[in-house]
Amino acid sequence: MKGSEINVWKFMVGINQYCIPCYQRNYSWTETDCKRLYDDMLNLFEQRKFENKATHFIGSVVFSEIDGQQGSILIVDGQQRLTTMYLFYLALYRVAKDKALQSVEDLSFAEKINIKILEVDDDSASDLVRLHRFEFSSKQDQDAFDKLFIGNENNYIDNSLLTKNYRYFYQRLQDEDQLTLKDFYALTQNVCFVTIELQEGDDAQRIFESLNSTGVSLTVGDKIRNFLLMGFEEKAIDFYNNLWVPMERNCALGDIDDFIKSYLTIKFAQPPKKDDLYADFKSYYYKTYRGLTSSNNSAMLNELLEYSKLYVYNKNCSYDLIAKENESLKKEIDQCLYRLRLLGYAVRMPFTMYCMWLHKEGKITGTELLTAFQMVESFLFRRWACSVAPNSLNKLFGAFPRRIAEYDGTDFISKLSDILCSGGSRLPNDENFKQAIETADFYTGKAWLLPYIIERFESIESKEQSKIYGEKLTCEHIMPQTLNDEWRAELGPDADAIHDEWLHRLANLTLTAYNSEYRNYPFAKKCTMNFGFASSPLHTNRAIASHEHWGLAELQQRAKELGEKACKIWPYPKHSD
């Protein structure tokens, strides 16, 4: 390994081709990063007025020469800053060329930038697109860079960070009133890299990790991609295009780090710490495959890809592995996944992925899969309704694969029931759950889940999923939050006591799209007015309208009915004693 400090101009003049391997993340510098770089150069200009040897250090570039291709290098680390400096030079060249009619001097150094930095030094090159010096593994970056170099504004890829940053530099240079273009040209010869050239036998992965241990941190996904692809250049492109990119695409609705956390939770049967994800991944890899080889990496990437499909099924709430001939079962599973998402417990993700894997491997049936999801839905909602703290759920769900494996000789649903009903799970029994449904505050800090709750009660009346989700329905207090004379008469002499005790209980809550129209109207008018309870498409509201009055007796009756129904909708698991 040879290291040296060198200014940007001198380093880039000596390179004819930069190859960005597939294990590098896509170009990700933002306008904020470019602004910082530009402003640092302005500060350097001022500093050099008093200290003529001042330089500005912008980081390191780690590279290795490509055998048989003189002037071509493989960028192991530092592509973000190197690519950004190239964009700066391209913008500087274009602005200087645009102003060439005003200054022959501008034209002279513009051509120097083009010849020394921008274009490939190859007289035989005929493909205009490839005349620039960057070769990206990422098709997105390559296409954007090609179009920037050709220079036809109409063809630029507007949403590319490469395009955005080029335009940022171009506009600032156009508007610059402190420095001349030649000043910037000279300044880049005082902006420095530390370059590290790798030699045969150097551990590129170790060097890469060491250099990225500080500063803008890489994601876990970035580190894993580098770990699996670095050093296997012959296979890396195939691995990247056929395995890594599809996995990355599957994780688009969440993120790779979140997926890796769920994957490792399944494998270790306990949740890894966020700061230890990469170390835990490597630990699992070496424990499973023993050595870092091309065939082992292929197996690892294939497994990650398969699990990422389960991850996206969860995120999309659409499980595609149920046979087409069983569409009704698939529909029920998808609806249950959607309800689980509404409940908001992300910690259950490894469990639902694990259940899908068991089904995919033929170890449980589709009906058992649905039953497992429904049991976990009941488990989570019962705890939520009874305000059981969620802090133990991470470990509970993480341990499911190990705990289920410990129950030999019993079927999957029985195993799951016993786990959910164990003392450590803190699952409320029917008595406690019913009491919470009847007496708990379901409005303060909880009204966000009311559409889910009402939809579940509606499901008792019809097998079809009620059209509540996605509708503009809001919480309606049947007995209003502020009592007027008419409501005091409705409630009787104990109006204030009834109001204080029952206002936010579930028995006094429903959904409507006409909350503002209902105002504090008397109960009878809320029922019979246009779009009132009596004409509501919701059975829940029509049932409310079947009462002549709304007072303590009606609240108590509805509370009891809801409690009994809730125990059927979210049943307590059947389990062995």
Side-chain angles (χ1 to χ4, degrees):
M1 181 172 69
K2 296 190 299 185
S4 60
E5 183 175 325
I6 187 172
N7 72 61
V8 169
W9 173 267
K10 188 174 181 180
F11 176 75
M12 297 183 76
V13 162
I15 306 300
N16 200 41
Q17 191 79 50
Y18 308 95
C19 296
I20 312 299
C22 56
Y23 53 76
Q24 290 275 8
R25 57 179 164 181
N26 292 354
Y27 182 72
S28 59
W29 271 30
T30 64
E31 182 178 304
T32 300
D33 301 304
C34 294
K35 181 181 184 301
R36 186 183 302 115
L37 175 62
Y38 191 99
D39 291 344
D40 285 344
M41 284 195 276
L42 292 180
N43 293 334
L44 177 61
F45 180 78
E46 294 300 319
Q47 187 180 357
R48 287 181 64 82
K49 291 178 181 179
F50 307 99
E51 187 182 348
N52 61 10
K53 292 185 178 181
T55 59
H56 177 64
F57 173 67
I58 62 170
S60 60
V61 174
V62 183
F63 68 96
S64 61
E65 290 189 351
I66 299 176
D67 293 341
Q69 299 181 40
Q70 188 174 2
S72 295
I73 60 173
L74 186 75
I75 304 299
V76 174
D77 187 50
Q79 71 116 335
Q80 304 289 333
R81 57 186 66 94
L82 188 62
T83 305
T84 302
M85 283 307 306
Y86 189 96
L87 293 175
F88 179 82
Y89 274 124
L90 182 61
L92 186 61
Y93 162 68
R94 294 263 171 81
V95 174
K97 199 172 179 183
D98 291 346
K99 295 184 176 181
L101 294 176
Q102 305 169 27
S103 169
V104 175
E105 189 177 34
D106 284 343
L107 180 62
S108 174
F109 84 80
E111 287 305 322
K112 191 171 183 179
I113 291 172
N114 190 39
I115 294 169
K116 295 287 188 179
I117 299 289
L118 302 178
E119 285 190 353
V120 172
D121 184 13
D122 183 359
D123 294 336
S124 66
S126 57
D127 182 359
L128 288 176
V129 170
R130 297 299 177 198
L131 281 178
H132 64 70
R133 301 187 182 192
F134 271 78
E135 182 179 320
F136 295 91
S137 293
S138 163
K139 187 177 185 302
Q140 291 174 292
D141 285 351
Q142 190 70 62
D143 289 347
F145 210 90
D146 291 345
K147 288 176 169 57
L148 279 178
F149 190 79
I150 291 172
N152 184 341
E153 277 268 359
N154 294 327
N155 293 332
Y156 286 176
I157 299 176
D158 293 335
N159 63 355
S160 167
L161 287 172
L162 291 160
T163 305
K164 292 177 180 179
N165 291 348
Y166 163 77
R167 282 174 167 158
Y168 174 79
F169 284 136
Y170 183 89
Q171 195 58 53
R172 281 206 68 172
L173 288 166
Q174 279 276 25
D175 298 339
E176 182 59 51
D177 57 5
Q178 297 181 53
L179 279 68
T180 66
L181 298 178
K182 192 173 181 181
D183 287 333
F184 277 106
Y185 166 69
L187 269 178
T188 61
Q189 297 177 50
N190 297 286
V191 174
C192 298
F193 293 132
V194 165
T195 60
I196 301 173
E197 182 178 358
L198 301 183
Q199 307 294 305
E200 187 176 351
D202 286 337
D203 188 339
Q205 179 67 29
R206 181 180 59 80
I207 294 168
F208 173 85
E209 289 179 15
S210 176
L211 288 167
N212 284 281
S213 62
T214 59
V216 179
S217 57
L218 299 172
T219 66
V220 172
D222 291 331
K223 293 177 182 178
I224 291 174
R225 182 186 61 239
N226 296 343
F227 173 73
L228 294 174
L229 300 183
M230 187 182 290
F232 299 97
E233 273 69 29
E234 291 183 4
K235 294 281 189 180
I237 295 297
D238 285 341
F239 287 168
Y240 178 74
N241 289 329
N242 298 325
L243 299 172
W244 183 268
V245 170
M247 182 199 72
E248 201 170 44
R249 195 178 298 123
N250 286 342
C251 296
L253 289 174
D255 60 67
I256 290 182
D257 290 14
D258 181 56
F259 161 64
I260 293 296
K261 183 177 181 181
S262 294
Y263 172 78
L264 290 177
T265 299
I266 294 169
K267 294 301 177 181
F268 286 125
Q270 64 180 19
K273 293 180 180 178
K274 185 176 180 180
D275 294 340
D276 296 336
L277 279 180
Y278 179 52
D280 285 345
F281 177 85
K282 289 200 298 182
S283 173
Y284 171 73
Y285 177 93
Y286 285 120
K287 181 180 178 181
T288 306
Y289 296 104
R290 304 298 178 186
L292 194 65
T293 68
S294 178
S295 60
N296 287 344
N297 288 7
S298 176
M300 182 78 257
L301 285 163
N302 272 289
E303 181 169 290
L304 286 172
L305 177 58
E306 289 306 307
Y307 272 90
S308 75
K309 293 174 184 176
L310 307 182
Y311 181 78
V312 78
Y313 293 151
N314 274 276
K315 288 290 184 178
N316 283 336
C317 303
S318 178
Y319 185 57
D320 293 341
L321 295 186
I322 293 293
K324 287 185 177 179
E325 60 267 21
N326 205 339
E327 281 296 323
S328 62
L329 179 59
K330 173 179 165 35
K331 184 178 180 181
E332 286 190 80
I333 289 173
D334 292 351
Q335 289 176 348
C336 192
L337 284 171
Y338 183 72
R339 295 195 301 271
L340 283 169
R341 189 170 76 181
L342 288 177
L343 283 171
Y345 289 93
V347 293
R348 58 83 192 168
M349 177 69 81
F351 168 77
T352 48
M353 285 175 61
Y354 176 68
C355 290
M356 287 177 176
W357 178 80
L358 289 176
H359 175 260
K360 176 177 173 290
E361 295 295 307
K363 297 182 178 182
I364 63 173
T365 66
T367 301
E368 287 177 313
L369 181 67
L370 173 61
T371 301
F373 289 171
Q374 290 171 335
M375 288 169 66
V376 168
E377 179 186 1
S378 294
F379 172 79
L380 291 173
F381 181 73
R382 278 177 173 247
R383 285 176 52 110
W384 179 87
C386 295
S387 300
V388 179
N391 51 330
S392 63
L393 290 177
N394 213 6
K395 291 182 179 180
L396 179 72
F397 280 110
F400 267 121
R402 173 181 53 77
R403 294 184 67 181
I404 285 176
E406 291 172 354
Y407 285 77
D408 294 328
T410 54
D411 67 84
F412 174 71
I413 296 302
S414 295
K415 294 175 183 178
L416 181 57
S417 296
D418 287 348
I419 293 170
L420 292 177
C421 296
S422 64
S425 69
R426 301 177 66 192
L427 174 61
N429 59 26
D430 280 352
E431 182 181 353
N432 293 332
F433 180 50
K434 191 175 179 182
Q435 183 180 18
I437 293 294
E438 294 179 10
T439 64
D441 181 339
F442 275 81
Y443 180 74
T444 308
K446 288 190 171 185
W448 61 274
L449 200 56
L450 193 60
Y452 164 81
I453 297 170
I454 298 299
E455 188 281 328
R456 290 288 75 211
F457 282 114
E458 290 284 307
S459 71
I460 286 186
E461 311 302 329
S462 172
K463 291 184 179 180
E464 291 295 320
Q465 191 158 15
S466 179
K467 293 182 179 179
I468 288 178
Y469 304 134
E471 299 295 324
K472 295 181 179 178
L473 304 179
T474 57
C475 178
E476 168 67 15
H477 288 79
I478 305 165
M479 170 180 58
Q481 296 195 64
T482 302
L483 294 180
N484 55 26
D485 291 342
E486 291 168 301
W487 266 103
R488 288 183 181 281
E490 181 87 26
L491 295 172
D494 296 324
D496 287 330
I498 295 170
H499 188 263
D500 290 343
E501 184 176 357
W502 288 87
L503 177 64
H504 296 322
R505 290 186 181 182
L506 192 56
N508 191 52
L509 303 177
T510 188
L511 291 175
T512 179
Y514 304 97
N515 185 286
S516 59
E517 284 87 343
Y518 286 1
R519 303 180 188 176
N520 283 16
Y521 284 148
F523 176 71
K525 185 169 183 177
K526 282 189 175 186
C527 293
T528 58
M529 64 186 285
N530 284 339
F531 309 112
F533 293 146
S535 58
S536 171
L538 298 182
H539 179 274
T540 298
N541 289 347
R542 296 197 301 274
I544 292 167
S546 67
H547 295 282
E548 293 184 11
H549 303 285
W550 197 253
L552 181 59
E554 289 76 21
L555 287 163
Q556 289 172 334
Q557 179 185 339
R558 187 174 185 231
K560 184 178 180 181
E561 290 173 354
L562 293 177
E564 291 172 351
K565 288 180 179 179
C567 289
K568 296 177 181 178
I569 297 169
W570 297 279
Y572 193 84
K574 296 177 182 179
H575 66 102
S576 57
D577 294 329

